[in-house]
Amino acid sequence: AQSVTQLGSHVSVSEGALVLLRCNYSSSVPPYLFWYVQYPNQGLQLLLKYTSAATLVKGINGFEAEFKKSETSFHLTKPSAHMSDAAEYFCAVISYSGAGSYQLTFGKGTKLSVIP
Amino acid sequence: ETGVTQTPRHLVMGMTNKKSLKCEQHLGHNAMYWYKQSAKKPLELMFVYSLEERVENNSVPSRFSPECPNSSHLFLHLHTLQPEDSALYLCASSQDPGRDRSYEQYFGPGTRLTVT
């Protein structure tokens, strides 16, 4: 079964600094990978997704992620953090659960704090 | 209304009460999902409906009963809940993943449930 592991439950960066949130996947087939963001008291919003096209994927709000098969990684980055980026970020992978059914399997999430 | 809406946003109920959570999607999708988000736990998929038929039930206790009367509406009926059922319940929708390989899910804002 496919799964993802997010390293670091909490990451703090200074405003203007690089944001790096780590995600490693485990998959026996080429994976479809996603990053979602959750702001306080809100649902999840799709940031970006990898679907086996370009390995560098650009998303909303200046975020991007690079798929590296050799490292089984799909880390999320942003060159310069804004205060508004403070949120929880979830990495997810599509899993096939049989009988034509697919489901998203999420990591435990990484809470990003941005220090002024 | 746009996107995925959920009502109520907050619910406090006793262990002997019966209540229902409602989800409505305005995206023309034909698959809908219930997730449970607890503190310190990964997002848990509870139920999946595709084309109004339940295709996934991840060993959820019978005190949770889903209903999908049409492709735009999804309910979660609750009865005799336990305090450990207190959580954020998220609804999501997508195109039928067996046919549309984008696999993107769109989430509602959630219902914060407290069981006393």
Side-chain angles (χ1 to χ4, degrees):
Chain A
Q2 285 82 350
S3 65
V4 290
T5 301
Q6 291 184 242
L7 300 175
S9 59
H10 199 160
V11 170
S12 292
V13 300
S14 298
E15 191 175 15
L18 171 72
V19 176
L20 171 61
L21 304 181
R22 299 177 188 274
C23 174
N24 288 90
Y25 69 89
S26 169
S27 176
S28 57
V29 298
Y32 279 41
L33 293 159
F34 302 79
W35 276 101
Y36 280 84
V37 60
Q38 186 177 31
Y39 298 101
N41 300 315
Q42 294 188 29
L44 276 69
Q45 179 183 5
L46 181 66
L47 269 180
L48 50 80
K49 67 177 183 181
Y50 169 75
T51 57
S52 71
T55 56
L56 182 63
V57 182
K58 294 189 183 300
I60 61 171
N61 302 339
F63 283 93
E64 62 182 36
E66 187 172 7
F67 174 75
K68 290 188 177 181
K69 186 177 179 181
S70 60
E71 299 176 9
T72 62
S73 68
F74 189 57
H75 302 332
L76 182 71
T77 60
K78 181 173 180 177
S80 175
H82 294 173
M83 295 299 296
S84 60
D85 295 326
E88 191 157 18
Y89 293 79
F90 294 90
C91 183
V93 65
I94 281 291
S95 301
Y96 179 66
S97 49
S101 177
Y102 297 83
Q103 66 180 58
L104 272 177
T105 300
F106 287 87
K108 292 185 177 181
T110 298
K111 192 164 286 188
L112 175 67
S113 299
V114 182
I115 305 164
Chain B
E1 295 276 18
T2 59
V4 180
T5 58
Q6 291 186 242
T7 54
R9 292 295 309 277
H10 300 271
L11 179 62
V12 179
M13 59 185 288
M15 289 191 284
T16 58
N17 291 159
K18 290 185 181 180
K19 296 285 185 183
S20 296
L21 309 185
K22 179 184 175 183
C23 175
E24 185 173 0
Q25 60 94 4
H26 309 267
L27 300 168
H29 291 160
N30 48 29
M32 298 187 78
Y33 310 79
W34 279 117
Y35 288 88
K36 177 182 179 182
Q37 188 176 30
S38 310
K40 300 181 182 178
K41 273 189 164 184
L43 271 157
E44 302 171 67
L45 178 65
M46 300 175 73
F47 300 103
V48 179
Y49 277 83
S50 182
L51 303 173
E52 299 160 40
E53 289 191 13
R54 189 191 304 180
V55 297
E56 191 82 33
N57 174 358
N58 283 352
S59 303
V60 179
S62 59
R63 57 186 183 268
F64 295 91
S65 174
E67 178 189 1
C68 187
N70 55 60
S71 60
S72 298
H73 294 86
L74 184 66
F75 295 89
L76 187 63
H77 303 300
L78 316 171
H79 64 97
T80 59
L81 294 191
Q82 304 298 312
E84 60 264 28
D85 296 322
S86 299
L88 182 68
Y89 288 85
L90 291 163
C91 174
S93 70
S94 74
Q95 294 295 357
D96 174 30
R99 303 179 185 184
D100 180 299
R101 298 305 174 101
S102 69
Y103 301 112
E104 290 180 28
Q105 292 184 19
Y106 294 80
F107 285 78
T111 294
R112 175 70 62 185
L113 174 66
T114 303
V115 181
T116 61

